[in-house]
Amino acid sequence: MNGLYKAVIRGVGSYLPETRLTNVEIEQMVETSDDWIQTRTGIVERRIARPEEATSDFAYLAARAALDDAQLEPADIDLLIVATETPDYILPPVACQVQARLGCRNIGAFDLHATCAGFLSALQVAEQYVKAGVHRHVLVVGADTLSRFTDYTDRATCILFADGAGAFVVSRSDDPAARGIVASALHSDGTYFHNLYIPGGGSRTPYGEGVKAKIVMDGRKIFKLAVNVMATTVQELLNQTGCHLDEIDWLIPHQANQRIIDAIAESLNFPAEKVISTIQNIGNNSSATIPIAVDTAIRDGRIQRGDLLMLVAFGGGLVWGGAMVEY
Ligand code: UT7
């Protein structure tokens, strides 16, 4: 996807709520065990919101951290996109609350809903605006509060879901050596919608007595689809760019289940030590997993400037996609 300009990742930030929900605590809620959860998902604990916290709080703090990292002020931002499936309210967009709290100009600000592939969808939108020369700096946030839509009597889902936010500042670069976002891809298949969805709370079944506004998932089916389409997307991006898998420094998949992450790497024959995983102590916080994983690996020194990252995500919809990015 070539444009007039390069779109680079100028800043990265994230925020995790302080409250931890451990496997041992979940053992008190449903019939399960710490051992089962660890073996089948890789998760030991997940971060969840306090009662007074909501998605815009996490989105704001992650955005603030990314701006600081980019050494930019809120006034420098030209467009703000928040990827989320769990807004504070159905109306207004989270992005407008973040715009106000940051003190940005009256720039465009909107939410983008593409479940766990939301962040990569928003990143691709930002990429296009920057490459086309329309905007210089776009703030892209992935933020979710899945705990509010998790059924803590359903052992098949409550072990996975979590809350948090991550953000990138995507900027125009005039550096001829910079590559930035090299390629990106997005896909969908709505025929599988009922395998992962929230039955109630939308326009088809509005809130009311007996309405289930909690996540319902066919885990086994989703698992297989996730591995298959994420591995295929990696291959698609390699084909699109003519790159070889050896050139990828870090594979950063959506953090849904450690076994899914392992299976993608295995099916690609990609070395496990070059795969970033943060699921163990964070859980699956949907749109936020990829920017949080990238931020974590930057802060701990694994990801360095110039490294080539392969980001790939999958979620309910179905939606899936990827991005190859030089950091
Ligand atoms: O964000 C993107 C969307 N989400 C995902 O990508 C999640 C994809 N799916 C998964 O991560 C996994 O399918 C789960 C973690 C949800 C389940 O793991 P699994 O290995 O696929 O288990 P399963 O659904 O095949 O169930 C195996 C057994 C069943 O018992 P029977 O029928 O064999 O007697 C389940 O009832 O394990 C049982 N089970 C549990 N046992 C203890 C299911 N959940 C639990 C549990 N504790 N929490």
Side-chain angles (χ1 to χ4, degrees):
M1 293 196 190
N2 294 317
L4 288 172
Y5 300 95
K6 308 274 178 60
V8 301
I9 309 304
R10 178 164 168 148
V12 177
S14 65
Y15 179 80
L16 289 170
E18 283 168 18
T19 307
R20 292 161 198 266
L21 177 63
T22 66
N23 290 350
V24 175
E25 287 170 292
I26 290 185
E27 281 177 353
Q28 313 304 312
M29 300 172 176
V30 290
E31 199 182 327
T32 190
S33 68
D34 176 33
D35 182 55
W36 194 96
I37 302 172
Q38 285 203 45
T39 312
R40 299 292 186 113
T41 72
I43 303 172
V44 173
E45 62 180 12
R46 64 269 320 123
R47 299 296 190 92
I48 60 163
R50 289 196 301 267
E52 70 278 15
E53 289 176 320
T55 300
S56 68
D57 301 317
F58 308 142
Y60 163 72
L61 290 163
R64 194 57 267 177
L67 279 174
D68 289 346
D69 189 50
Q71 297 184 308
L72 291 173
E73 295 301 325
D76 296 319
I77 297 299
D78 302 311
L79 178 71
L80 202 168
I81 312 171
V82 176
T84 187
E85 67 199 58
T86 54
D88 300 24
Y89 309 101
I90 293 282
L91 178 169
V94 173
C96 297
Q97 292 166 276
V98 176
Q99 176 271 338
R101 281 178 74 175
L102 285 174
C104 295
R105 291 171 286 128
N106 300 122
I107 52 171
F110 58 87
D111 289 0
L112 187 156
H113 180 179
T115 65
C116 303
F119 184 79
L120 293 188
S121 303
L123 187 67
Q124 191 176 100
V125 174
E127 174 194 357
Q128 300 312 314
Y129 272 113
V130 172
K131 284 186 173 175
V134 176
H135 293 310
R136 188 170 282 277
H137 301 294
V138 181
L139 182 51
V140 183
V141 186
D144 270 303
T145 312
L146 292 181
S147 64
R148 296 278 146 74
F149 301 90
T150 298
D151 178 356
Y152 287 99
T153 66
D154 174 15
R155 67 179 183 172
T157 53
C158 74
I159 54 172
L160 298 171
F161 298 124
D163 308 335
F168 285 3
V169 177
V170 180
S171 298
R172 183 192 301 177
S173 171
D174 303 318
D175 176 0
R179 287 202 288 169
I181 303 175
V182 182
S184 53
L186 288 177
H187 299 283
S188 67
D189 185 347
T191 60
Y192 292 93
F193 90 91
H194 52 281
N195 292 128
L196 177 50
Y197 79 127
I198 298 178
S203 58
R204 188 164 297 281
T205 318
Y207 291 110
E209 212 172 306
V211 170
K212 184 167 181 178
K214 305 286 181 192
I215 298 165
V216 172
M217 180 177 73
D218 179 344
R220 215 175 294 189
K221 182 120 185 207
I222 290 289
F223 190 110
K224 285 187 196 139
L225 288 163
V227 174
N228 182 27
V229 299
M230 283 196 275
T232 307
T233 302
V234 170
Q235 207 55 60
E236 176 188 355
L237 288 171
L238 293 173
N239 294 343
Q240 206 188 105
T241 54
C243 283
H244 191 268
L245 202 55
D246 290 351
E247 295 170 59
I248 304 299
D249 294 296
W250 302 104
L251 174 64
I252 302 143
H254 170 52
Q255 311 281 308
N257 181 325
Q258 186 60 46
R259 283 164 52 226
I260 294 178
I261 297 170
D262 294 343
I264 299 166
E266 201 177 310
S267 80
L268 292 165
N269 205 12
F270 189 78
E273 63 275 14
K274 289 164 65 176
V275 181
I276 308 280
S277 171
T278 53
I279 194 166
Q280 184 177 344
N281 299 103
I282 295 177
N284 174 359
N285 46 28
S286 191
S287 295
T289 67
I290 287 184
I292 289 173
V294 171
D295 192 40
T296 303
I298 291 169
R299 304 296 145 223
D300 69 21
R302 278 178 290 173
I303 295 179
Q304 302 284 327
R305 281 284 175 197
D307 283 358
L308 197 55
L309 317 181
M310 179 66 82
L311 315 177
V312 64
F314 165 90
L318 304 176
V319 288
W320 65 97
M324 193 192 291
V325 179
E326 185 194 78
Y327 172 59

